[in-house]
Amino acid sequence: MIESAVDITLLSLIAIHAVAIIRMRSLFAVIMLFGGFSFLSAGLFVAMDAADVAFTEAAVGAGISTILMLATLALTYAHEDVQKEEKQPTHKPWLPLSVVLITGGMLIYGTSDIPAFADPNAPAQKHVAPYYLKKSLPETGVPNVVTAVLASYRGFDTLGEVTVIFTAGIAVLLLIGGRRKSKIPFETRSNKE
Amino acid sequence: MMYAVAIIAILVTISLALVRALMGPTVYDRIAAMNMLGTKTILLIAVFAFLTGRHDLLDIAIVYALINFIGVVAVLKLVEQGNFFTDGAVPVDKKSGANNK
C-alpha cells in the first residue's frame, strides 16, 4: 500500500515538474527543475527496484547534464543575463500540441498490450533470463545478475562503451573546460579586501 | 508503520521544497530548494530500503549524496563567477572601477 502511495506521489511531483518546466521562462530555473526532475525519477526507479537504472539517472541526469546545461548557459549568455527571462514565444502551440497528444495517445494505447509490471510470464522473462538467473553466480561469481551480464558476459562490449564515453568526456572537457587565460586582467578575491 | 509515516513526512517535505523551487523569487531560493529536494530523495531511498528490507539500496543513497553535493557546488560556482574556468577570480573592470585603459 505504502509503495503505491510513494509511486503515485512521486509521479505527480514529476508531472508538476514537467508542467513547470514547460511554462517557466527563466532558463536557469528550468535547469534547476531538470535536476529535481532527474532526482525524483531516480527515486521512482529505486522504488521500482531498478537500482542500476536509478544510479545512471542520478549520475547522468541530475549530476552531469545539469552541469553541462549550466556551462552552456554560461558560455552562450553574458554573466549578467544568466538569470534573465526568455521572451514569450510568438507562434501558437496548436500544431506541436496536437502532435504530442496523438503520439501520447498512441503510446498509452500501446501500453494496453504489454504485460503487467514484474510479470514472471512476460516474454522478456522467458528468453534468456532463466539461464542468467540460474548460471550467472556459478559461472562468474558475481552476486548481482545485471552486473554479471554487463561486466562479465558482455565485458568487451562494456569496455568499448567505456572507451566511447571516455573519448566523449575528453572532447567535452576540451570544449568547455580547462583553466584559460582571460583577456581581462584578473584579481583574486582574497586580495580584494 | 514507523517507516511508512517517515516516508509520508518526507514526501510532504519534497512537495514543500518543490513549491519553493517554483515560486522562488531569487536564484538562491531555487538552488536551496533543489539541494533540499536531493537530500530528501536520499532520505526517501534510505527509508525505503529499510521499509522493503533491501539494504543494498543504502549504497545508492550514499552515491546520491555525493552527486548532489558536486552538483550544488558546480551550480554555486557558476552563479558566483559565471564560468567554470576562472579560479574564483573576478575581472577587475567588472567591479565598479571601469578602469579599462
Side-chain angles (χ1 to χ4, degrees), chain A residues 139-184:
Chain A
E139 280 184 1
T140 65
V142 180
N144 189 318
V145 182
V146 177
T147 313
V149 170
L150 280 181
S152 181
Y153 290 108
R154 298 184 193 160
F156 280 114
D157 187 47
T158 307
L159 182 67
E161 283 172 13
V162 169
T163 314
V164 169
I165 292 171
F166 183 66
T167 319
I170 291 176
V172 169
L173 276 182
L174 283 175
L175 281 175
I176 69 168
R179 302 207 180 282
R180 290 177 217 169
K181 288 270 171 56
S182 173
K183 294 198 182 75
I184 315 162

Side-chain angles (χ1 to χ4, degrees), chain A residues 2-158:
Chain A
I2 185 70
E3 275 99 343
S4 48
V6 169
D7 287 352
I8 291 169
T9 319
L10 282 179
L11 277 174
S12 13
L13 288 175
I14 288 175
I16 295 172
H17 264 93
V19 172
I21 286 169
I22 296 169
R23 301 294 304 171
M24 227 165 228
R25 303 247 61 91
S26 155
L27 285 183
F28 184 85
V30 165
I31 294 174
M32 290 283 91
L33 285 175
F34 269 134
F37 187 98
S38 291
F39 257 113
L40 287 180
S41 335
L44 189 67
F45 291 149
V46 168
M48 292 173 83
D49 208 4
D52 46 330
V53 184
F55 211 77
T56 317
E57 177 66 38
V60 176
I64 303 294
S65 69
T66 306
I67 297 172
L68 279 183
M69 281 191 278
L70 279 174
T72 313
L73 199 63
L75 285 177
T76 49
Y77 278 52
H79 186 196
E80 295 79 25
D81 298 342
V82 167
Q83 294 149 27
K84 210 175 58 180
E85 305 250 312
E86 283 281 281
K87 284 196 284 288
Q88 288 286 340
T90 51
H91 58 86
K92 290 283 183 291
W94 299 118
L95 177 66
L97 190 66
S98 57
V99 169
V100 164
L101 282 180
I102 290 171
T103 318
M106 281 163 66
L107 285 175
I108 290 172
Y109 172 73
T111 57
S112 64
D113 212 22
I114 64 175
F117 176 64
D119 181 10
N121 293 318
Q125 321 277 20
K126 290 281 189 186
H127 182 47
V128 290
Y131 175 84
Y132 286 128
L133 287 178
K134 212 176 293 169
K135 297 275 186 64
S136 71
L137 189 57
E139 280 184 1
T140 65
V142 180
N144 189 318
V145 182
V146 177
T147 313
V149 170
L150 280 181
S152 181
Y153 290 108
R154 298 184 193 160
F156 280 114
D157 187 47
T158 307

Side-chain angles (χ1 to χ4, degrees), chain A residues 2-3 5-7 9-10 13 16-17 20 24 26 28-29 32-33 35-37 39-40 42-43 46-49 51-52 54-55 57-60 62-64 66-68 70-71 73-75 79-80 82-83 85 144 176-180 182 184-189 192, chain B residues 3-5 7-8 11-12 14-16 18 21-23 27-28 30-32 34 37-39 41-42 44-45 48-49 51-52 54 56-57 59-60 63-65 67-71 74-95:
Chain A
I2 185 70
E3 275 99 343
V6 169
D7 287 352
T9 319
L10 282 179
L13 288 175
I16 295 172
H17 264 93
M24 227 165 228
S26 155
F28 184 85
M32 290 283 91
L33 285 175
F37 187 98
F39 257 113
L40 287 180
V46 168
M48 292 173 83
D49 208 4
D52 46 330
F55 211 77
E57 177 66 38
V60 176
I64 303 294
T66 306
I67 297 172
L68 279 183
L70 279 174
L73 199 63
L75 285 177
H79 186 196
E80 295 79 25
V82 167
Q83 294 149 27
E85 305 250 312
N144 189 318
I176 69 168
R179 302 207 180 282
R180 290 177 217 169
S182 173
I184 315 162
F186 277 84
E187 175 182 323
T188 54
R189 188 142 298 192
K192 196 171 64 171
Chain B
Y3 294 136
V5 173
I7 281 187
I8 291 168
L11 286 175
V12 170
I14 288 181
S15 326
L16 292 176
L18 179 58
L22 293 183
M23 288 167 51
V27 171
Y28 299 103
R30 298 188 204 279
I31 295 173
M34 277 309 130
L37 208 154
T39 316
T41 313
I42 296 158
L44 183 71
I45 293 168
F48 200 82
L51 178 79
T52 55
R54 298 198 301 266
D56 50 332
L57 291 184
D59 298 342
I60 310 269
V63 173
Y64 277 27
I67 291 170
N68 195 22
F69 175 70
I70 295 173
V75 169
L76 288 174
K77 196 168 154 73
L78 182 96
V79 171
E80 178 70 18
Q81 65 195 39
N83 55 46
F84 288 127
F85 48 81
T86 53
D87 196 7
V90 284
V92 173
D93 58 348
K94 286 270 176 67
K95 299 185 309 176

